[in-house]
Amino acid sequence: MRIVLCGIGVVGKALLQLLLDDRRWLADHHGFAPRIVGAADSRGVAASKNGLDLLGLLSLKARTGSVGTGPIPDLPQFIADTDADVFVQAVPTNVRNPTDAIDQCRAAIHSGKHIVTATKSPLACAMASLKDAAAAHRVRFGYSATVGAGTPMLALAARCALGDRVTRIEGVVNGTTNYILTAMENKGETFEAALLQAQKLGFAETDPSADVDGLDTACKTVILANEAMHRRAVFTDVRIDGIRHVTPDWIGQAASAGRRIKLVGRADEHGLSVAPREVPIGSPLDVPGTTNALCISLERGGDVTLTGRGAGGFDTASAILRDLLDVWRSMRGE
Ligand SMILES: NC(=O)c1ccc[n+]([C@@H]2O[C@H](COP(=O)([O-])OP(=O)(O)OC[C@H]3O[C@@H](n4cnc5c(N)ncnc54)[C@H](OP(=O)(O)O)[C@@H]3O)[C@@H](O)[C@H]2O)c1
């Protein structure tokens, strides 16, 4: 399998490292020996028909900050022109301007490449039309890394939806906000103090808006609803309320009533929403720290819950690898 990889940040680098570390296991157990024939970051591109040297690529990135030299590439053109079977996307998620990431996916589809993406914005803003286009061009579209990282939440959601009707999805699917809310409860801190601490420890970005204002949870709620409830929802359909207004007082009152406050993404018959909600202590969504939880309500089967880590470079890279192996099997007609 020949891969063109765009985005060599936390996730892209972890994927390259995983392919290096697991090279023998992948070949022996899966007959899988992928070659990275193209790579791009924000400052340059690298390409080789025979496959780039992954160790060399990683060390070049560490030394110079880029896998190539300028000029900054026209990524859709680079993706279309590279002779690859699969486009792997690990560029930033930007729901306020999703066009670039969507254009990359369209370029891959129209040049006959399968897609495996960790980037949420193309799915949050154009999932239905991209899936339609991928189906029309007979290419596969893998995105299990976009929700739950290494925890296979989308696979569970899709399986649940096969034999039953999903009536509601609720998820605590953003580790940063859950870490902040947990710290506020445990230490009695204000939102601002808990956010500062999360930033110091590397659990929150310098610009925390995507997490604390609920945008990341909204993206994931859209993807889950479309996957399991046959919706054609987009990001702008979600009513979004973040956690900036959660106070220690509210957390204290909830605790005395046997409840904890969690940022919950929900999809049900009333639509899609993201909001801080009180959940009973000990209930499936009552997960601590950066842990994620997904609760799927089935018409006949009742509630199904999955918990696990929802972020991290290697966790996310392992989800990408899972999707790549699915593509590899389909390429071999399995
Ligand atoms: N990190 C996680 O735990 C996690 C989990 C699940 C999903 N995701 C998603 O995975 C994606 C990647 O996350 P990450 O943590 O790896 O992000 P990151 O560390 O910020 O890396 C982003 C990469 O994309 C490159 N890039 C940015 N703008 C670009 C452009 N215009 N053209 C080409 N390349 C560009 C960056 O280039 P430079 O290296 O030159 O800056 C960098 O290599 C995001 O969409 C994120 O939401 C991440």
Side-chain angles (χ1 to χ4, degrees):
M1 176 191 280
R2 297 159 304 167
I3 296 170
V4 53
L5 167 65
C6 292
I8 320 286
V10 173
V11 173
K13 281 188 279 195
L15 178 66
L16 294 176
Q17 194 63 54
L18 206 66
L19 293 178
L20 266 174
D21 294 347
D22 288 356
R23 182 175 294 196
R24 178 161 296 175
W25 177 75
L26 288 169
D28 290 351
H29 290 267
H30 297 285
F32 185 57
R35 280 178 288 150
I36 305 288
V37 293
D41 56 31
S42 71
R43 291 163 51 190
V45 299
S48 161
K49 276 186 181 163
N50 298 325
L52 294 158
D53 166 32
L54 302 192
L55 207 54
L57 205 60
L58 282 167
S59 74
L60 182 66
K61 179 75 178 162
R63 270 189 291 115
T64 68
S66 178
V67 293
T69 47
I72 296 167
D74 171 358
L75 272 200
Q77 197 62 52
F78 175 69
I79 293 160
D81 290 347
T82 303
D83 194 13
D85 305 299
V86 187
F87 164 51
V88 175
Q89 185 180 48
V91 297
T93 287
N94 183 350
V95 277
R96 294 193 178 100
N97 179 12
T99 315
D100 287 354
I102 293 172
D103 287 349
Q104 292 164 21
C105 292
R106 291 204 189 286
I109 292 169
H110 289 121
S111 58
K113 293 175 182 68
H114 305 286
I115 301 176
V116 172
T117 187
T119 306
K120 283 153 269 189
S121 40
L123 291 149
C125 301
M127 183 165 173
S129 66
L130 285 173
K131 284 185 77 166
D132 290 348
H137 285 77
R138 296 176 183 279
V139 295
R140 291 181 69 102
F141 191 12
Y143 42 84
S144 71
T146 58
V147 183
T151 306
M153 290 184 166
L154 283 167
L156 175 73
R159 278 314 277 179
C160 282
L162 264 184
D164 204 340
R165 270 175 298 281
V166 174
T167 54
R168 187 174 63 186
I169 293 174
E170 285 188 310
V172 173
V173 286
N174 180 271
T176 303
T177 44
N178 208 44
Y179 177 88
I180 291 170
L181 291 171
T182 305
M184 286 175 73
E185 181 178 3
N186 291 347
K187 299 177 194 161
E189 284 177 342
T190 61
F191 165 77
E192 289 77 13
L195 170 61
L196 205 63
Q197 185 63 11
Q199 286 170 322
K200 274 188 193 151
L201 293 171
F203 291 130
E205 303 281 338
T206 319
D207 175 3
S209 171
D211 294 317
V212 301
D213 294 326
L215 313 186
D216 177 74
T217 299
C219 287
K220 292 166 177 168
T221 306
V222 168
I223 299 169
L224 281 162
N226 289 357
E227 187 75 7
M229 300 171 95
H230 309 293
R231 304 273 174 98
R232 293 177 74 90
V234 291
F235 181 77
T236 46
D237 294 331
V238 191
R239 296 185 305 278
I240 307 173
D241 182 15
I243 64 163
R244 288 186 199 265
H245 62 91
V246 176
T247 60
D249 273 358
W250 183 12
I251 289 177
Q253 281 163 20
S256 43
R259 294 172 174 270
R260 287 203 174 95
I261 296 174
K262 300 287 169 191
L263 184 66
V264 177
R266 178 185 288 173
D268 59 15
E269 77 272 22
H270 303 297
L272 276 63
S273 65
V274 174
R277 294 183 191 278
E278 295 184 19
V279 307
I281 290 175
S283 64
L285 293 182
D286 178 23
V287 284
T290 57
T291 307
N292 282 204
L294 174 68
C295 187
I296 299 172
S297 300
L298 299 171
E299 194 173 283
R300 287 187 294 266
D303 289 353
V304 179
T305 306
L306 180 64
T307 61
R309 294 200 301 252
F314 282 97
D315 298 72
T316 310
S318 76
I320 292 176
L321 187 55
R322 231 171 17 219
D323 284 348
L324 284 173
L325 286 167
D326 278 342
V327 173
W328 172 236
R329 290 202 186 103
S330 78
M331 284 169 65
R332 296 207 304 184
E334 288 174 20

